[in-house]
Amino acid sequence: MGDMANSSIEFHPKPQQQREGPHAGGFGCTLAELRSLMELRGAEALQKVQEAYGDVSGLCRRLKTSPTEGLADNANDLEKRRQIYGQNFIPPKQPKTFLQLVWEALQDVTLIILEVAAIVSLGLSFYAPPGEESEACGNVSAGAEDEGEAEAGWIEGAAILLSVTCVVLVTAFNDWSKERQFRGLQSRIEQEQRFSVIRDGQLLQVPVAALVVGDIAQVKYGDLLPADGVLIQGNDLKVDESSLTGESDHVRKAADRDPMLLSGTHVMEGSGRMVVTAVGVNSQTGIIFTLLGAGGEEEEKKDKKGKQQDGAMESSQTKAKKQDGAVAMEMQPLKSAEGGEMEEREKKKGSVPKKEKSVLQGKLTKLAVQIGKAGLVMSAITVIILVLYFVIETFVVDGRVWLAECTPVYVQYFVKFFIIGVTVLVVAVPEGLPLAVTISLAYSVKKMMRDNNLVRHLDACETMGNATAICSDKTGTLTTNRMTVVQSYLGDTHHKEVPAPSTLSPKILDLLVHAISINSAYTTKILPPEKEGALPRQVGNKTECALLGFILDLKRDFQPVREQIPEEKLYKVYTFNSVRKSMSTVIRMPDGGFRLFSKGASEILLKKCTNTLNGDGELRGFRPRDRDDMVKKIIEPMACDGLRTICIAYRDFPATQEPDWDNESEVVGDLTCIAVVGIEDPVRPEVPEAIRKCQRAGITVRMVTGDNINTARAIAAKCGIIHPGEDFLCLEGKEFNRRIRNEKGEIEQERLDKVWPKLRVLARSSPTDKHTLVKGIIDSSTGEQRQVVAVTGDGTNDGPALKKADVGFAMGIAGTDVAKEASDIILTDDNFTSIVKAVMWGRNVYDSISKFLQFQLTVNVVAVIVAFTGACITQDSPLKAVQMLWVNLIMDTFASLALATEPPTESLLLRKPYGRDKPLISRTMMKNILGHAVYQLTVIFTLLFVGELFFDIDSGRNAPLHSPPSEHYTIIFNTFVMMQLFNEINARKIHGERNVFHGIFSNPIFCTIVLGTFAIQIVIVQFGGKPFSCSPLSTEQWLWCLFVGVGELVWGQVIATIPTSQLKCLKEAGHGPGKDEMTDEELAEGEEEIDHAERELRRGQILWFRGLNRIQTQMEVVSTFKRSASFQGAVRRRSSVLSQLHDIRVVKAFRSSLYEGLEKPESKTSIHNFMATPEFLINDYTHNIPLIDDTDVDENEERLRAPPPPSPNQNNNAIDSGIYLSAHGTKSATSSVFSPRPSSPLHSVETSL
């Protein structure tokens, strides 16, 4: 092994013997050497490689690997490399232990108060006051002494502590299982990521974690690089290093210019091979992770190293999310951003715990806070009343004096009151809410895996239920992505099926075979079928597979051609990208000349053709007139059959002078057309039905594709996206841009709003068009609610649109790593029907939460009122602290389990989506909550005040301290629990359905919990005794309790009969952020509720807007003059503004004058810094959530409500920062959230104000 090192030294221009000694394990490079090499960039990196190793192949020799054959696939060697250079794995942060989770659960304020109360109560119960003076303290403890049960006083305190322990353990266990599921999901995502390496000359797909230093990896368009490496050979390779450097420009990589490829960066164009030089914690990603403390123990070791990395780290807070599970998830905001947003995020990092709240979380947090506040007030009042009552009765009415020895007795009373108060609070606070959401989401995510949805961000699941629009790719999502050539145009003849080889001239056939075999990725192949009788397997790019299949159908083979001209011999490759829409390859001919083969979209490539081949394979001129003929007669008929047309062409260059290969437009021009082929991609059989379901559920499906418009229209009609006779638009990218841009070429939201509502098909679209469309729909304020858009994508170029969308779906099979990285949900089967499943699950999550709320709030209202009034009238809550905690456990933990795991049904797809701002608690639910509360309160108060007469038992009211539990109060407690159990069944339906038992057996968890709770209740009542303040009941009493409970079901039917529309007095609660969207009848009802003052306020706002508009318009005129633009244009625009006074237009002239400075990156960062100043960073973008139904807001206000937080702006034609002025009464100035909408000309005005 030593010889090996020495022999390689002689090769170096500058031998560095002094370094050679300590080389590890016989390899020619140490870990430190490689690490320092990877820190260099560009020219210095190249120089370092040349100085130290001669060239890249010298480096390969040192690492004992072959640039063409790769490593030997030998386990010992691979293991040895892992030991020396590390594994390609970044250790995740240690998960929290169960004890840490328990400790966190204990931090809950209400629980702490309870613990304190319980401990005080325990302490006092052990203190016995001297016997003889007890008379002087009045009748305070008489009852207890008679019973001889004074010593049982400790039981209540102990019982409270016990139940607190229960609550804590349940919470901790839930958190723990959630964390575990989450990690399982993460590791599954990681295992699915594979990478192509060459070992023993074979191309293998290995899991990313199995990569070792010295591996030769094949990189191609769309890859997320899993390790650092040095480029050996590349074709037109461009890499997006923004995740490391924050620079959004793509960096060109070439073996002779900048060969350094870094982990966590994205390959945006081209292909190549690299030798892996650093993996895991030693790669650039790993180093940054270690700096962020993700590497845990590694941190100290790497500290010295880390210092140099600081520069790189500044801008790389969100990197390589996939490599590492939970850490990455914690670091990455919901939609990760890049470039200019980095600074803002770093400022936010300190203050924002995880990620922005989803719509649902926003509504829930708001609701929980309101309920909590109400509970706090109630409990405080309860305690105050109890204390005052006791003090006045004892010291004023009875006229006693406070004696020192009586203090413990009195204090015990006060503690008892305090405990009652806390119990009211505990029951009022719905701590089950977060639990219900978590369970519901976790359950859904687990089940969605079976429906081929791999959810990367939990709340994407719930957002999907609100989706109003889906922008879908065509290829592979709506179609099977198994492409075949069905028509062709060869040698002046249009063949409707594959021609017989004998009918074609040998020259044409030979050219065609070469053009297809050479000018396609060599990784694309057609392999024999795995099973007898199955179709041949298509590997790689499907369009290329179709062309290779065409060669096989012509009874020729592509493999010999490729063996004759291997990939290394290709002279120059212009790889396919979304701008070129073509791919070209240059080879050297034996005579020293060059031949270029090109293939691509027919209408684009035919424009570059000047010749074509006739039937004998001879050249014939191809004039523009011939081209138009060909388009009409050949290409359009093919496209109308739903075929994708591809043109195949070539060009010969003489040997005399070599063309300038960098001048692509020169090189790929003056071509000779060999053939045009029509490729069919059949629609998936299940898609039309899925699209029908979407349309019925109120979701608009749009198709966005790179194909030609006729093909797209034909496929859209087959899928049912467009129906004959409907009013819809099918546009090409160019036409779309022409319609939405103004004279200056800037996108105007107003123009976009005219296009998107009818747009169903966008063909020949670039990724920017897709992003523009998605952004335009999301930002639009034309409808009555903000659109929630889902997007599917598979290509690298879809990344921006996937990030911008509310929910991004990436294709699991065809998708590139970049697309998966930007997405929220990965479709593991690439099938559109899985999206429909996701919608169902999303709606189901929302409904589950609503069911839980309906149940929870009924219990809350009743328990709080009972405890409060009972305490005020009888000085003792009818429901004891421990009983309350048990009720809390039933209604919080168990109910959230039972109601949050209801499986979704098809009927969820029969309704329109809830808006982003539909309140959580609808009128129907409010009706149910209050209706059931009335029933329960009536029953309980009847029992409390006349129950003893009815059951002929002793009254439990006004019992002295420590008296034994009375049957009376036990019956009240039991009845209360029975009513909750039956009401839980009622809560299964929230839309006012009659049959509450429908589908109850499809949810075994629900049945188990209801029966289980019932069983435990029997045990508590019969054997609970002193700790639960229960005394055993007779069968008759039990039957009465059950009877009253079943009454709940009957009462539910009564409530269902009352039409909701009659109850105008009911308000919804728990609105979402932003505008309200209601049905027409509710809007009509809303109007009657506007009171006079509100109208006045409204009028004031309208006047304010008008004034603002006039100022704006005048500014526009002034700035138009400044620009010496045509006066007429300004006047015309001015009149249009005034004619639409309520519509605040984007004043382009004004805006562009303000924003000129903002285009430059440095000023961009300053804006971000301004945006990130503490007083403007409302935590988690707290949304404005009105508590009552604000359906009656004027549309001006609706326009001005804050839209959601900004997202990275990928197309620079619209600047993504602006402040939205909020004119809504309930908002403070700070809550004008920074919006990503370019529609605010007020940006600078606001800042200067």
Side-chain angles (χ1 to χ4, degrees), residues 32-68:
E33 233 176 279
L34 288 174
R35 260 181 81 149
S36 60
L37 172 68
M38 292 321 290
E39 277 158 23
L40 304 173
R41 305 273 181 280
E44 22 171 3
L46 200 60
Q47 190 186 348
K48 171 86 191 221
V49 171
Q50 282 163 355
E51 282 175 10
Y53 312 108
D55 61 359
V56 181
S57 48
L59 174 63
C60 290
R61 278 198 290 281
R62 290 269 201 105
L63 289 171
K64 302 201 179 157
T65 178
S66 144
T68 48

Side-chain angles (χ1 to χ4, degrees), residues 233-306:
Q233 171 256 327
N235 304 323
D236 202 13
L237 195 64
K238 286 190 186 163
V239 178
D240 172 9
E241 295 189 344
S242 60
S243 55
L244 271 177
T245 60
E247 293 297 320
S248 54
D249 295 339
H250 298 170
V251 186
R252 290 194 74 120
K253 298 286 182 183
D256 52 359
R257 279 178 45 190
D258 178 3
M260 295 309 191
L261 297 174
L262 306 172
S263 58
T265 58
H266 293 139
V267 181
M268 300 313 267
E269 264 184 50
S271 59
R273 286 204 314 273
M274 72 169 188
V275 55
V276 175
T277 53
V279 293
V281 283
N282 302 309
S283 66
Q284 296 301 302
T285 307
I287 289 170
I288 287 162
F289 259 113
T290 313
L291 285 175
L292 288 174
E297 332 65 84
E298 259 94 2
E299 193 163 5
E300 292 75 44
K301 286 184 258 172
K302 302 292 180 307
D303 254 1
K304 305 169 206 63
K305 199 78 195 159

Side-chain angles (χ1 to χ4, degrees), residues 77-204:
D77 177 48
L78 297 178
E79 190 46 50
K80 185 171 162 193
R81 286 173 192 270
R82 285 195 190 99
Q83 280 165 4
I84 296 171
Y85 297 114
Q87 303 189 13
N88 195 21
F89 171 69
I90 296 174
K93 203 153 72 186
Q94 284 301 310
K96 290 188 172 129
T97 59
F98 189 69
L99 288 175
Q100 281 170 308
L101 291 169
V102 167
W103 178 242
E104 275 178 22
L106 279 170
Q107 310 298 309
D108 187 29
V109 186
T110 41
L111 289 180
I112 293 177
I113 298 176
L114 268 181
E115 287 154 23
V116 172
I119 291 168
V120 172
S121 158
L122 267 179
L124 288 170
S125 67
F126 289 126
Y127 176 84
E132 58 280 9
E133 281 99 349
S134 70
E135 290 311 310
C137 305
N139 62 351
V140 179
S141 53
E145 305 303 350
D146 302 345
E147 297 296 332
E149 281 203 24
E151 62 279 8
W154 61 273
I155 293 182
E156 186 164 21
I160 293 179
L161 283 180
L162 187 71
S163 43
V164 166
T165 316
C166 274
V167 173
V168 166
L169 288 176
V170 169
T171 317
F173 179 74
N174 273 309
D175 286 348
W176 180 77
S177 58
K178 179 175 79 179
E179 172 107 340
R180 217 189 54 193
Q181 269 180 350
F182 192 67
R183 282 182 183 263
L185 185 70
Q186 266 319 101
S187 60
R188 168 151 181 177
I189 292 179
E190 276 158 35
Q191 283 155 11
E192 289 193 349
Q193 199 193 2
R194 296 177 163 269
F195 209 74
S196 323
V197 298
I198 298 171
R199 288 188 185 164
D200 283 338
Q202 297 290 316
L203 190 67
L204 306 173

Side-chain angles (χ1 to χ4, degrees), residues 715-951:
I715 300 272
K718 283 183 191 165
C719 293
I721 291 177
I722 55 181
H723 300 286
E726 275 185 1
D727 182 17
F728 58 81
L729 282 174
C730 294
L731 297 179
E732 282 197 327
K734 275 198 192 113
E735 169 66 9
F736 173 68
N737 277 307
R738 197 182 60 69
R739 289 194 184 195
I740 63 169
R741 291 175 191 270
N742 59 12
E743 306 77 64
K744 292 206 199 63
E746 296 160 321
I747 294 172
E748 278 194 25
Q749 183 67 40
E750 195 179 295
R751 292 175 180 230
L752 235 171
D753 287 346
K754 293 197 180 86
V755 176
W756 73 256
K758 288 184 182 172
L759 184 69
R760 290 294 175 274
V761 176
L762 183 57
R764 280 277 172 253
S765 68
S766 69
T768 334
D769 294 339
K770 191 172 190 174
H771 179 257
T772 309
L773 176 65
V774 172
K775 184 173 182 311
I777 297 179
I778 289 180
D779 289 352
S780 167
S781 53
T782 48
E784 68 276 21
Q785 62 176 69
R786 163 160 137 34
Q787 297 277 320
V788 178
V789 184
V791 172
T792 67
D794 52 4
T796 304
N797 44 23
D798 290 328
L802 287 170
K803 265 182 192 160
K804 177 71 197 161
D806 295 285
V807 183
F809 286 93
M811 301 295 142
I813 303 167
T816 57
D817 294 342
V818 183
K820 290 179 187 171
E821 199 48 48
S823 70
D824 303 296
I825 297 180
I826 296 174
L827 294 177
T828 49
D829 62 346
D830 287 15
N831 192 338
F832 188 83
T833 42
S834 305
I835 299 179
V836 182
K837 297 258 179 58
V839 173
M840 246 163 67
W841 277 108
R843 294 186 169 190
N844 190 50
V845 167
Y846 202 96
D847 280 7
S848 298
I849 303 302
S850 296
K851 289 171 187 173
F852 172 68
L853 270 175
Q854 179 174 306
F855 174 68
Q856 163 101 48
L857 292 180
T858 312
V859 186
N860 275 8
V861 170
V862 176
V864 170
I865 294 179
V866 167
F868 175 70
T869 44
C872 298
I873 298 169
T874 67
Q875 286 76 70
D876 186 8
S877 166
L879 298 171
K880 300 290 182 286
V882 182
Q883 295 175 350
M884 287 279 212
L885 283 167
W886 162 238
V887 169
N888 215 24
L889 197 69
I890 300 179
M891 67 185 194
D892 276 2
T893 315
F894 293 160
S896 61
L897 256 176
L899 292 167
T901 51
E902 290 269 313
T905 56
E906 287 283 330
S907 61
L908 287 167
L909 292 176
L910 298 176
R911 64 169 171 78
K912 296 272 178 282
Y914 293 142
R916 284 185 86 80
D917 13 69
K918 163 133 181 12
L920 271 174
I921 300 172
S922 62
R923 279 227 175 88
T924 314
M925 287 168 60
M926 207 45 136
K927 177 184 76 176
N928 292 344
I929 291 172
L930 296 177
H932 287 294
V934 168
Y935 173 80
Q936 298 186 9
L937 286 172
T938 315
V939 169
I940 287 181
F941 284 136
T942 311
L943 285 176
L944 182 59
F945 296 113
V946 293
E948 69 271 27
L949 309 172
F950 179 74
F951 283 110

